[in-house]
Amino acid sequence: MTPLLRAENLSMEFAVTGGVFRRRLGAVRALHNVSFSLNEGESLGLVGESGSGKSTLGRILCRLHRPTSGRLFWDGRPMEDLPPLEWASGIQMIFQDPAASLNPKLSVETILAEPLGLRARVEKKEPPRGAARRDAVRELLSSVGLPTDILSHYPHQFSGGQKQRLAIARALAVRPRVLVADEPVSAVDLSLQAQILNLLSDLKEQYRLTTLIISHDLTVVAHLADRLLVLKDGETMETGGTAEILAETRHPYTRALLDAVPPLFR
């Protein structure tokens, strides 16, 4: 079976510049020869401490960064052969900080209507307008557990958990096949984290999503992921089934990540 998404030896370096003319002084390596595959309907957990390259990898998958080397394949097709519109409609990302990722000048209706228009372009249809647009936005809000009478509200009027739900609704609006969730509960209170994780689990089944869950917390990915990919300093330390790795970690770094979790949450 051809994987839905495959990464082959991805590496990423960020240039370090300085001086009046911003000359290149060196480079910082964020990823080095990272490879993995993601099958349709599967959930992969990407785990590592801060600075391990997790978010960089997620951004590469969403075409927000271009890798220094390596290749990405979508349904067996090289990424460079795909039109940007097709790639954007296939993979969407929930960013780590929902407050920073939501435009504070746009209403809820506008925030969710824009990706609905993108989906219409992909499907070569007219974008919904008027009452049809409002109905589509309300359906999205309902799917993530938000009230449907907030179309005229703005992001600053919501709590952290509500902003995260709104960000999830925006990502779902284009009906992506792959959803990348970058630290999906790091910006919400501990009391709300389980709600967000359960919501993502329910949405995965409802929309038949393939998911990549990025987190430094093994308990988060264990709740959602079928397989784990452990990164350290941009390199793969360990990969395998979630239950297998949690039961018998092979790499000391993975063991250190697991030991950092309080026993109550394991």
Side-chain angles (χ1 to χ4, degrees):
M1 180 176 67
T2 302
L4 175 58
L5 181 66
R6 180 165 64 90
E8 187 178 279
N9 297 322
L10 290 181
S11 295
M12 183 74 194
E13 291 184 349
F14 292 99
V16 177
T17 60
V20 176
F21 300 103
R22 309 300 296 172
R23 290 192 178 93
R24 182 184 174 102
L25 302 178
V28 174
R29 189 181 74 178
L31 290 174
H32 181 65
N33 289 341
V34 175
S35 300
F36 68 90
S37 61
L38 193 56
N39 295 320
E40 187 94 44
E42 191 176 29
S43 183
L44 177 66
L46 188 60
V47 192
E49 61 191 348
S50 296
S52 61
K54 307 184 304 295
S55 294
T56 297
L57 180 55
R59 288 174 173 269
I60 287 174
L61 298 182
C62 295
R63 238 176 178 174
L64 298 175
H65 291 322
R66 290 293 183 128
T68 306
S69 61
R71 303 185 74 189
L72 279 173
F73 298 86
W74 177 261
D75 257 350
R77 299 164 60 192
M79 177 178 118
E80 56 266 25
D81 292 347
L82 294 179
L85 186 63
E86 184 176 345
W87 192 265
S89 65
I91 302 181
Q92 282 290 305
M93 188 170 189
I94 304 167
F95 294 92
Q96 183 171 347
D97 184 357
S101 68
L102 297 170
N103 191 328
K105 297 181 179 180
L106 300 182
S107 68
V108 168
E109 181 175 355
T110 304
I111 287 172
L112 297 183
E114 286 186 345
L116 287 173
L118 172 63
R119 187 174 83 195
R121 288 173 59 193
V122 172
E123 297 173 351
K124 297 181 179 179
K125 299 178 181 178
E126 283 294 317
R129 304 182 189 280
R133 184 172 93 161
R134 288 189 291 274
D135 287 344
V137 169
R138 290 190 183 101
E139 182 181 345
L140 281 169
L141 292 172
S142 179
S143 72
V144 297
L146 287 173
T148 59
D149 59 352
I150 59 171
L151 274 62
S152 61
H153 289 44
Y154 289 82
H156 73 271
Q157 296 176 267
F158 301 110
S159 67
Q162 289 172 322
K163 289 175 185 175
Q164 188 65 291
R165 289 173 185 268
L166 182 57
I168 294 171
R170 181 183 58 182
L172 292 175
V174 298
R175 296 292 174 89
R177 296 173 68 185
V178 174
L179 185 65
V180 178
D182 187 6
E183 298 280 5
V185 296
S186 65
V188 301
D189 294 339
L190 186 63
S191 60
L192 299 175
Q193 290 183 4
Q195 294 180 25
I196 297 297
L197 293 177
N198 289 333
L199 173 64
L200 288 172
S201 180
D202 292 342
L203 292 172
K204 181 181 184 298
E205 299 302 319
Q206 179 181 345
Y207 289 93
R208 298 180 180 179
L209 292 167
T210 302
T211 55
L212 179 74
I213 310 299
I214 299 172
S215 181
H216 65 279
D217 188 339
L218 272 170
T219 59
V220 170
V221 292
H223 184 82
L224 297 171
D226 306 308
R227 291 190 296 117
L228 296 181
L229 174 65
V230 182
L231 287 182
K232 182 179 186 296
D233 297 330
E235 297 188 25
T236 301
M237 295 292 104
E238 189 168 1
T239 185
T242 301
E244 173 192 351
I245 288 180
L246 293 182
E248 187 177 354
T249 57
R250 295 186 295 272
H251 198 280
Y253 177 71
T254 310
R255 169 52 58 187
L257 289 175
L258 187 59
D259 289 344
V261 178
L264 177 64
F265 297 100
R266 293 182 191 175

